[in-house]
């Protein structure tokens, strides 16, 4: 596979992503291939526990799609957790249109924190995704944003021992500490 990476010329396209192994954690940003490191166990556990927590609260109009590829204008991102409008999902496609989603969540890792905090939030907002959450692991913090006038406005930031209380797109109340092993 190194040959493909070495011989690839020019900008990367969504079609190029199909040529890479399925187990690679890749994203696309303005023609640049982003190869993400395999997540640490704490990252995996936090994302999985958030999926379970949200799944218990979702109504039948929504579906959880962890690590699905979100098709943005000039980017393809795979959030750790995504809440999709059930009636908008293209069940036969690996990539889903941004309008499919009510909420995307990124669990920040040392290798992804900078892009999660800036570029991804900006791109998700520009695509019109109503909710964006970022989970910071050290110390554990959940930061929730809601789309207002084309940009995300912070709904709140909660750490261990505090209670996340969010109404949309799913009503939840939890202590961020429950996301940690």
């Amino acid at each position: 596979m190194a040959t493909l990476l070495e011989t690839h010329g020019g900008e990367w396209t969504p079609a190029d992503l199909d040529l890479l192994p399925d187990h690679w954690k890749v994203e696309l940003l303005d023609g640049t291939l982003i190869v993400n490191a395999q997540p640490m166990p704490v990252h995996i556990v936090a994302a999985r526990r958030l999926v379970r927590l949200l799944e218990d609260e979702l109504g039948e109009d929504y579906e959880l799609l962890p690590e699905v590829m979100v098709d943005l204008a000039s980017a393809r991102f795979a959030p750790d957790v995504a809440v999709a409008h059930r009636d908008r999902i293209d069940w036969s496609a690996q990539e889903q249109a941004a309008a499919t989603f009510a909420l995307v969540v990124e669990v920040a890792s040392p290798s992804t924190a900078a892009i999660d905090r800036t570029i991804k939030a900006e791109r998700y907002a520009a695509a019109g995704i109503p909710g964006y959450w970022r989970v910071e692991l050290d110390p554990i913090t959940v930061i929730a944003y809601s789309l207002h006038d084309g940009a995300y406005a912070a709904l709140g930031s909660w750490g261990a021992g505090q209670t996340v209380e969010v109404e949309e797109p799913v009503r939840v109340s939890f202590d961020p500490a429950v996301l940690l092993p």
Side-chain angles (χ1 to χ4, degrees), residues 119-159:
I119 295 170
K120 285 187 177 182
E122 292 166 3
R123 296 297 175 97
Y124 290 141
I129 298 174
Y132 174 66
W133 293 2
R134 192 176 73 248
V135 177
E136 299 281 345
L137 296 171
D138 188 19
I140 186 66
T141 308
V142 174
I143 306 104
Y145 301 89
S146 180
L147 192 63
H148 293 283
D149 299 322
Y152 286 126
L155 296 174
S157 176
W158 303 269

Side-chain angles (χ1 to χ4, degrees), residues 63-113:
E63 195 71 45
L64 271 164
L65 300 176
E67 298 188 25
V68 67
M69 191 67 74
V70 179
D71 181 358
L72 305 168
S74 59
R76 301 290 184 279
F77 293 145
D80 295 293
V81 180
V83 176
H85 296 277
R86 197 167 213 300
D87 61 348
R88 298 180 190 173
I89 297 171
D90 179 347
W91 295 99
S92 62
Q94 290 180 329
E95 296 178 358
Q96 300 292 318
T100 304
F101 301 97
L103 170 69
V104 291
V105 182
E106 295 287 355
V107 177
S109 295
S111 63
T112 66

Side-chain angles (χ1 to χ4, degrees), residues 7 9 12 14 28 43-44 55 60 66 77 100 135 167:
T7 61
W12 286 82
L28 188 63
H43 181 284
I44 295 166
E55 202 163 44
E60 58 188 49
F77 293 145
T100 304
V135 177
E167 299 291 325

